[in-house]
Amino acid sequence: MLRRQIGRKFESLRKAAGLTMEQAAEHLDRARATLHRIENGAEHVRFRQADVQQMLDLYGASDDDREVLLALTAATRENKNWWHDYIGAGLPRWFQLYIGLEAAASSIRQYEAELVPGLLQTRAYAEQVFKMPGGAIDAADEQEQQRGVQLRVERQTLLTRFSPPQLSVIINEAVLRRPVGNAAIMAEQLHQIAKAAELPNVTVQVLTFSAGLHAGAMAGAFSLLEFPQDTHGREVEPPVAYLDAATGAIYLDKPHETAAYNTIWADMASRTLNESRSKSLIEQVAKEYSRA
């Protein structure tokens, strides 16, 4: 989040100075790709004070902008997020941005068609997921799998932290019906979902097979994240729609992109069971697994 704010401020200053990214890179004797990473908030960019001052000089930054950006970039050299230890072992770099956004979000909405959302998975269920080939983590590397599982478990603490985000989940009925591991794992997992839904900041609703065709059928799984407002009522970060795949992810933050996913969400939300009926169905399927 911090780096994305820095990137937007540098981009705004560059444009105000009437410079293209290519022109700025030439004046700074830096690669265009480096400036692109800075303006997009890439996690691995290092902000040396001399480099920051050079950019501020080139862009003709005001004293206020200079003070703010020197302080923000200094913070990137001092702070280390808890998930950094998982980079390269359980946490692909392309997913690292999502972890940061998730931790900063005030509202998270997720639709899942195939699997229980990561924030609601039990350890046993997550272990089964990470064993599957074709994912971001090598299915043959048991140690890396366990680090991935531990990361998933640690992420879940944000639901019970002070000032947690509002989590709204829509899951396809197939998520409940498709066994992952054995019946005991599924029973435990469904009980975990029902328990999480009792938290005041968590809602879980089921999109049943009887709902028929819905907008999410074409969109696939996605997350919509919204962020807190500053003291002036302005968003500190624009909303983001997130879609992931086996080898990468897509982050969409243009207004027309997030609006499209809001429309998809609204269509699905109009077709789901309400919270009470969803919980009843989840508990019913959990009992079926328990008797299996």
Side-chain angles (χ1 to χ4, degrees):
M1 179 69 75
L2 175 62
R3 289 174 176 272
R4 286 168 69 85
Q5 291 176 314
I6 290 169
R8 284 199 303 277
K9 287 182 179 295
F10 270 127
E11 180 183 19
S12 177
L13 288 175
R14 174 179 61 75
K15 290 181 176 179
L19 295 170
T20 65
M21 196 175 289
E22 290 78 5
Q23 290 169 332
E26 183 177 352
H27 282 294
L28 295 167
D29 194 26
R30 305 187 79 177
R32 182 190 183 282
T34 300
L35 290 190
H36 184 270
R37 288 194 294 271
I38 289 173
E39 294 186 5
N40 279 276
E43 181 67 25
H44 58 282
V45 173
R46 297 182 62 186
F47 290 104
R48 296 186 306 171
Q49 186 172 349
D51 294 336
V52 173
Q53 289 176 331
Q54 184 187 16
M55 293 176 71
L56 295 171
D57 290 341
L58 175 64
Y59 297 159
S62 67
D63 289 342
D64 286 346
D65 285 333
R66 185 179 294 270
E67 181 179 356
V68 167
L69 277 165
L70 284 171
L72 291 177
T73 52
T76 67
R77 299 191 292 270
E78 299 165 1
N79 297 336
K80 181 181 179 182
N81 292 310
W82 66 266
W83 58 84
H84 282 200
D85 290 339
Y86 290 93
I87 297 173
L91 175 59
R93 283 198 175 273
W94 51 262
F95 188 58
Q96 182 180 353
L97 172 58
Y98 180 80
I99 299 292
L101 294 174
E102 180 183 74
S106 58
S107 169
I108 303 170
R109 287 176 288 163
Q110 293 185 312
Y111 167 61
E112 280 290 349
E114 300 291 340
L115 294 170
V116 172
L119 289 174
L120 301 180
Q121 289 181 10
T122 63
R123 181 180 290 273
Y125 186 99
E127 286 174 347
Q128 296 297 315
V129 172
F130 279 106
K131 287 178 182 178
M132 293 301 296
I137 292 177
D138 184 355
D141 190 329
E142 186 173 347
Q143 184 175 6
E144 193 168 331
Q145 285 178 34
Q146 287 304 311
R147 287 174 66 83
V149 170
Q150 184 60 31
L151 168 65
R152 184 152 296 182
V153 171
E154 290 189 35
R155 281 172 54 206
Q156 296 171 3
T157 61
L158 72 83
L159 296 179
T160 54
R161 74 185 184 192
F162 176 76
S163 189
Q166 179 66 43
L167 176 66
S168 300
V169 172
I170 294 176
I171 53 176
N172 195 305
E173 185 176 350
V175 173
L176 311 181
R177 302 291 184 183
R178 178 174 294 107
V180 173
N182 57 36
I185 289 174
M186 285 302 299
E188 178 193 34
Q189 176 61 80
L190 297 190
H191 285 309
Q192 167 74 4
I193 295 173
K195 182 179 179 181
E198 295 175 359
L199 293 170
N201 58 308
V202 177
T203 63
V204 179
Q205 292 178 271
V206 179
L207 190 62
T208 61
F209 296 139
S210 61
L213 184 63
H214 55 87
M218 280 71 80
F222 64 90
S223 298
L224 283 165
L225 297 91
E226 296 176 337
F227 303 92
Q229 298 179 336
D230 64 18
T231 55
H232 301 290
R234 295 173 301 204
E235 294 173 326
V236 298
E237 177 78 8
V240 175
Y242 170 80
L243 300 81
D244 70 1
T247 57
I250 299 174
Y251 295 87
L252 306 171
D253 59 9
K254 294 182 175 62
H256 73 276
E257 294 171 332
T258 53
Y261 279 91
N262 277 318
T263 300
I264 293 168
W265 179 271
D267 176 79
M268 290 190 297
S270 71
R271 301 169 187 269
T272 62
L273 299 180
N274 63 28
E275 291 178 59
S276 176
R277 293 178 64 195
S278 293
K279 185 177 180 182
S280 295
L281 177 59
I282 292 167
E283 292 175 338
Q284 173 193 323
V285 179
K287 289 179 181 178
E288 293 173 7
Y289 281 116
S290 296
R291 292 194 296 265

